[in-house]
Amino acid sequence: MIATIGYFDGMHEGHRYVISQVMQLAEKRGDGSIIFTFDRHPATLFRPDRVPQPLLTPEEKMEKIAACGVDDAVMFEFDADFASITSREFLEILREDYGVTTLLLGYDNHFGKKETDDDGNTITPTFADYQRMGQETGVNIRLLTPLSDTPTSSTMIRRLLLDGNITEANSRLGYRYRISGTVVSGEQIGRQIGFPTANINVEGKLIPKSGVYAVEVCCPEPRKALLNIGSRPTFGGNGNTIEAHILDYNGNLYGNTIAVEFLQRIRDEQHFPTPEELIRQINRDMERVKAL
């Protein structure tokens, strides 16, 4: 089997490039392709105060990996036992349990428990170290060159989303960034001013920068919508909410889980002196959504 390993958060263009190289080599050799990943970020164990917000749920990640057309994909549970496995032991597992003969690594890929030298200093294995351990365990280790001079990373995608740069984030991802959540009851402010909204409770995903967005909502069929992320400053700014006004829709979505795909950031959230001025701005925002 030809394999690669990584957390693959976001399954962005760089990840898909790595997986495509695995599949091409497998096809050339008449072998199978297999992808190994984890159910949570390693920082969950080692730096719990610095765990990055996920771009994909574990289920979404496996779906996107499978959509690439690989023969198999394995998601390891990243717990204390798994984190204690050394690089050599992990290569032995890949060879003996999964039949891996070649492992392709990205330019910044590391795996296995970090070890220490006699002075207590942490040792990060080099690529040459991986190659040596691979020769000893029967796994050929190959290094992949970056896709471009400015390689995409999950950290880059998170920064773009937190900056509100949806267009560039979607371009780097290769798909529209999506969040999902349950529709819950709110304060009915939108309904009071003529724009009823679905108040969405989202957990386990990174939320883009506060502001007003053009989005597509699946409820269950795709519909255009105007999404506001923020504190509703015109009405007192009481906590952050995620609210979508779905165009030409009057159904009851309470209790349903809906998905939101981001198309474009329209503007910052702002305070208006009167509700009437807010209403006029929302109408202008809706025209932009319709024009997309």
Side-chain angles (χ1 to χ4, degrees):
M1 296 288 279
I2 313 300
T4 191
I5 184 169
Y7 182 50
F8 297 121
D9 191 26
M11 272 300 293
H12 53 64
E13 60 180 3
H15 295 145
R16 293 194 300 278
Y17 165 73
V18 171
I19 292 174
S20 72
Q21 296 303 297
V22 171
M23 295 173 61
Q24 289 178 26
L25 183 58
E27 182 178 4
K28 181 179 179 181
R29 293 185 178 179
D31 208 338
S33 56
I34 185 168
I35 308 301
F36 298 100
T37 189
F38 320 117
D39 65 339
R40 70 202 75 180
H41 197 284
T44 305
L45 288 182
F46 306 118
R47 295 176 300 173
D49 58 328
R50 297 176 59 186
V51 179
Q53 294 174 293
L55 301 173
L56 293 173
T57 66
E59 295 77 17
E60 289 172 336
K61 179 165 60 176
M62 292 300 280
E63 289 173 2
K64 289 192 177 295
I65 291 175
C68 292
V70 296
D71 294 314
D72 199 4
V74 175
M75 177 174 283
F76 292 112
E77 181 180 356
F78 200 96
D79 55 14
D81 288 339
F82 185 84
S84 68
I85 299 173
T86 66
S87 303
R88 182 189 302 275
E89 291 170 339
F90 187 66
L91 288 172
E92 291 173 347
I93 291 172
L94 297 190
R95 185 70 181 92
E96 296 172 9
D97 295 353
Y98 298 96
V100 173
T101 56
T102 299
L103 181 66
L104 304 187
L105 297 181
Y107 72 97
D108 60 349
N109 202 328
H110 296 282
F111 62 88
K113 175 187 176 182
K114 289 186 178 181
E115 301 183 51
T116 57
D117 60 21
D118 294 336
D119 297 323
N121 300 313
T122 300
I123 303 172
T124 299
T126 64
F127 181 70
D129 292 330
Y130 288 135
Q131 283 188 311
R132 174 177 48 78
M133 287 183 280
Q135 290 174 351
E136 295 168 355
T137 55
V139 180
N140 179 31
I141 309 292
R142 295 180 54 170
L143 181 66
L144 289 168
T145 57
L147 178 61
S148 68
D149 293 334
T150 55
T152 299
S153 69
S154 301
T155 299
M156 175 193 293
I157 301 294
R158 293 187 191 98
R159 185 172 63 251
L160 290 169
L161 292 171
L162 292 174
D163 288 343
N165 193 343
I166 292 297
T167 302
E168 180 66 13
N170 285 351
S171 176
R172 293 277 184 169
L173 286 169
Y175 59 88
R176 300 170 181 169
Y177 185 65
R178 166 187 286 219
I179 58 176
S180 299
T182 305
V183 178
V184 298
S185 60
E187 298 180 16
Q188 308 295 318
I189 292 175
R191 188 173 299 278
Q192 293 170 20
I193 62 173
F195 298 97
T197 61
N199 194 325
I200 309 168
N201 181 29
V202 178
E203 296 181 357
K205 293 283 288 286
L206 182 145
I207 306 301
K209 182 180 180 180
S210 295
V212 179
Y213 293 85
V215 300
E216 190 170 80
V217 174
C218 299
C219 57
E221 69 280 357
R223 291 179 179 271
K224 290 182 180 180
L226 187 68
L227 183 82
N228 185 80
I229 300 175
S231 61
R232 299 168 298 182
T234 302
F235 297 96
N238 184 22
N240 283 338
T241 61
I242 303 173
E243 298 177 89
H245 172 66
I246 306 170
L247 276 61
D248 304 318
Y249 185 79
N250 297 311
N252 184 354
L253 292 172
Y254 288 123
N256 292 344
T257 298
I258 63 175
V260 176
E261 293 186 348
F262 288 82
L263 305 178
Q264 188 178 102
R265 190 172 192 270
I266 294 178
R267 61 176 174 85
D268 288 335
E269 187 182 41
Q270 59 192 100
H271 173 270
F272 292 91
T274 66
E276 289 72 25
E277 291 185 55
L278 172 60
I279 291 170
R280 285 194 289 271
Q281 181 60 56
I282 291 175
N283 279 313
R284 290 192 290 268
D285 296 338
M286 288 176 58
E287 290 304 316
R288 292 188 61 181
V289 174
K290 292 175 182 177
L292 287 177

